[in-house]
Amino acid sequence: MIKHTCDAFYSYFMMLIHPFKTHEVLRQHRMAMRESSTVVPFPPSDDKYNLIQLKREEVICFSWIMEIISAIYTIMSINLGISALNFINTGSSFNSWIAFQLYYSGQITNITITLFFVVLFPVTAWVYIKVWEMIVVFFMKLFEYDELDELGAIDVVTSTLSANILLLIPLFGSVLAKLYQILLFFAGLKSNLGMNTQQSILVLMAPIFLLVVTILFLIGYVILMFTAM
């Protein structure tokens, strides 16, 4: 059990530092399964990275740990800020005391929101994976991909959560994780599913298209309501 967990985290980490190569390995394994009538053992014999197939639950658990550590960073920085401001305001005027109380209340709210998102992370991560899987599968059908290749959608989407390792970097970790998540997605679409650059970019821009279509639909609905009055 411990060895499997270590191997799983190793594969999770390798997704971060070698996204294109690791996705090539996953694609090769999937293609070997297609061409063989029997189950092909994983990892393949030519896999120098010694990867193992990750499950959704494993990726979510590893990413949750990173989120918890990031939340600890946030709470510690907020506490340091409150302590520093409290020290500065010692013996200050009543207005300064009121300003400190407002700042304190705001930071307590930030801590509450941070803890709320940490507790709900497994749910939000699962929803994120399922929604993006449906989007990727939709585009694979649109691009006329084979049905078996839809299994790659799971690997592509779950691999993007390995960007949460960057949350361990103080201050800028959250921004870096979001940006690197896009790169991991792009690497998966190209190296795992075999999409070209234009197709990969189109998939990544799908939420923007959906948002624009939703806004246009709402605007059209409001216009129809006013014209019907």
Side-chain angles (χ1 to χ4, degrees):
M1 179 65 181
I2 296 178
K3 184 180 184 302
H4 175 79
T5 302
C6 293
D7 291 341
F9 185 79
Y10 169 80
S11 299
Y12 176 80
F13 182 74
M14 292 302 292
M15 284 288 185
L16 179 74
I17 61 177
H18 293 293
F20 289 93
K21 293 296 184 180
T22 50
H23 275 294
E24 286 179 7
V25 172
L26 293 175
R27 178 177 173 83
Q28 290 171 6
H29 179 254
R30 195 169 66 255
M31 294 301 102
M33 288 182 61
R34 172 196 286 183
E35 297 172 359
S36 176
S37 58
T38 59
V39 177
V40 178
F42 198 94
S45 57
D46 59 345
D47 175 20
K48 66 178 181 179
Y49 296 110
N50 296 318
L51 302 175
I52 67 171
Q53 196 82 30
L54 293 176
K55 301 177 181 178
R56 294 189 189 96
E57 295 78 11
E58 292 172 334
V59 174
I60 290 175
C61 286
F62 292 144
S63 301
W64 195 12
I65 293 173
M66 305 305 162
E67 287 283 344
I68 292 173
I69 296 174
S70 177
I72 293 174
Y73 284 167
T74 301
I75 294 173
M76 288 177 61
S77 63
I78 290 175
N79 284 331
L80 287 174
I82 292 174
S83 299
L85 190 60
N86 188 33
F87 177 78
I88 295 172
N89 283 335
T90 302
S92 299
S93 64
F94 179 75
N95 289 336
S96 298
W97 182 82
I98 293 296
F100 171 76
Q101 292 301 317
L102 292 174
Y103 172 81
Y104 178 80
S105 300
Q107 295 307 311
I108 292 300
T109 302
N110 288 338
I111 292 176
T112 303
I113 294 174
T114 299
L115 294 176
F116 177 76
F117 280 112
V118 168
V119 171
L120 288 183
F121 177 80
V123 178
T124 56
W126 185 86
V127 172
Y128 162 83
I129 291 174
K130 296 301 294 184
V131 170
W132 270 108
E133 280 179 14
M134 290 188 292
I135 292 175
V136 173
V137 168
F138 168 79
F139 276 97
M140 283 194 294
K141 291 181 178 179
L142 185 65
F143 300 146
E144 298 182 352
Y145 275 67
D146 295 332
E147 183 177 357
L148 183 58
D149 278 340
E150 295 180 8
L151 298 175
I154 299 175
D155 293 329
V156 171
V157 178
T158 54
S159 69
T160 62
L161 290 180
S162 65
N164 274 29
I165 295 176
L166 297 176
L167 294 176
L168 299 180
I169 302 174
L171 299 179
F172 305 107
S174 179
V175 177
L176 292 175
K178 295 300 181 185
L179 294 176
Y180 206 83
Q181 196 170 23
I182 299 175
L183 175 62
L184 291 172
F185 217 137
F186 181 79
L189 294 172
K190 287 205 68 175
S191 297
N192 197 319
L193 299 180
M195 294 185 182
N196 58 40
T197 302
Q198 292 77 14
Q199 291 173 335
S200 301
I201 293 176
L202 184 61
V203 174
L204 291 173
M205 294 181 65
I208 299 177
F209 294 148
L210 292 175
L211 179 62
V212 171
V213 170
T214 303
I215 292 175
L216 292 176
F217 174 79
L218 292 175
I219 293 175
Y221 181 75
V222 171
I223 293 175
L224 286 175
M225 287 184 60
F226 278 102
T227 55
M229 294 177 61

